[in-house]
Amino acid sequence: MEFDFSAILLGLTVLFGVVWGLDRLFLYKKRKARLDAAGDEYRDPVPVDWARSLFPVVLVVLLLRSFVAEPFRIPSGSMMPTLDVGDFILVNKFAYGLRLPAFNNKFVDLGEPKRGDVVVFRFPGYLCQDGGALVRSGDMSCNDPHAPVPSQNWIKRVIGLPGDSIEVHGAELLVNGQPVTADEVGPYLGNPQRSVDQIMLNMGATVWTEHLLRKDGSAVNHTIARMPAYNVPNSIPNDRVPSKVPAGCYLVMGDNRNDSLDSRWWGCMPEQNLAGKAFLIWMSWKGLGTGGVDFSRIGTVIH
C-alpha cells in the first residue's frame, strides 16, 4: 500500500487545528459558562481534548520533516556500496529550496543540485511511447502507457545537470565529452548470508572510486560498484533518452551501476520532483542473523 506521509501529516494538522479552533471560537465559552453555573469542573470533550493536545505535536513534526530534515530508509541495493540496504538516512529538505508539504511546490529558492549530489526525489515514471509521443507511465513494460505513476521516493546520484551532454556506454561515462575517471579499489566484500550481497559476490562485483567533476572543477570522489556479468545497462543516448539534459531536469544514476533502474531507462528527473539532499546515515540495520545493527555506518556523512 502506498501513502504519502507528508500528506497524512498535513491532513492531521489541518483536522486537529480546525476542530480545536472552531471549538474555541463557537462552543468553548457557552460550554464553560454552563459548567461553571452547575458548579462542575471544566473539561474539554474528548475529541477537542485530543485535537488540542495533538495539534502542536503534529505541527512541529510536519514543519521539521518539510523544511529541516526528513528520515528515509534505503530499501534496495541500487546505491551500494555508498548506501546499503537497511541504512536509515537523513535528507536535508532546505538544500535546494523550501517546498509546500504534500504539494512539493517550491516557494523559496535556495539553490540547485550539483553534479555528484545524492538526492531523494519522487519517482517521475517510466518513459513510454503513446501515439508517437513520450509519456510518463507507472507501467515499466509500457503495455499501459497511461498507468498511474506510483507515489514513491527514490534515491540516486546526480550525474547530469540541465544543458549537460551525457554519454553512457557500459561502464564508460562521459560528461560534456570528458570521460569520468575511476580507480579500482578491489573486489566487493559482503556478507553472503544477505541476498543482496550474495548477488554481488556471485557476479564478481568490484568496487571503484569514481571522480565526478563539478562545474567549479572540484571532484566528488565516491564509490561505485560494477558487475558486468549481472546486467548490461542501457546506453545514453537511446531512443527515449537524449544525450543533452533538458532544462529543469537532471540525469541521475545509482552507484551500483549494473543494478540500478535510473535515468538510463526512464530519462531525466524533473526539478519539481526533488525532495532534498541526502547527507547522513543515522542508523543501519542489516537484519536479524545477518549483522543486526551496523555501528560502523552510524554517523557516516554521505558523499
Side-chain angles (χ1 to χ4, degrees), residues 245-268:
V245 184
C249 239
Y250 298 85
L251 272 183
V252 295
M253 292 170 60
D255 287 348
N256 195 350
R257 291 294 163 80
N258 295 84
D259 190 16
S260 172
L261 195 60
D262 50 40
S263 286
R264 291 169 289 183
W265 279 267
W266 45 259
C268 68

Side-chain angles (χ1 to χ4, degrees), residues 188 192 195-205 227 229:
Y188 175 76
S195 59
V196 64
D197 285 343
Q198 192 175 61
I199 291 172
M200 297 181 71
L201 292 169
N202 290 342
M203 294 295 164
M227 46 178 179

Side-chain angles (χ1 to χ4, degrees), residues 2-3 5 29 52 108 114 124 133 138 156 182 208 222 274 283 294:
E2 295 169 2
F3 64 93
F5 192 59
K29 290 183 179 180
R52 177 180 58 81
V108 177
K114 297 178 181 179
K156 304 292 178 188
W208 300 66
H222 62 98
L274 273 171
M283 174 59 73
D294 188 346

Side-chain angles (χ1 to χ4, degrees), residues 3 5 7 22 83 186 188 213 218 231 239 262 285:
F3 64 93
F5 192 59
L22 291 179
L83 297 173
Y188 175 76
L213 293 180
S218 63
N231 179 43
D239 59 345
D262 50 40
W285 173 250

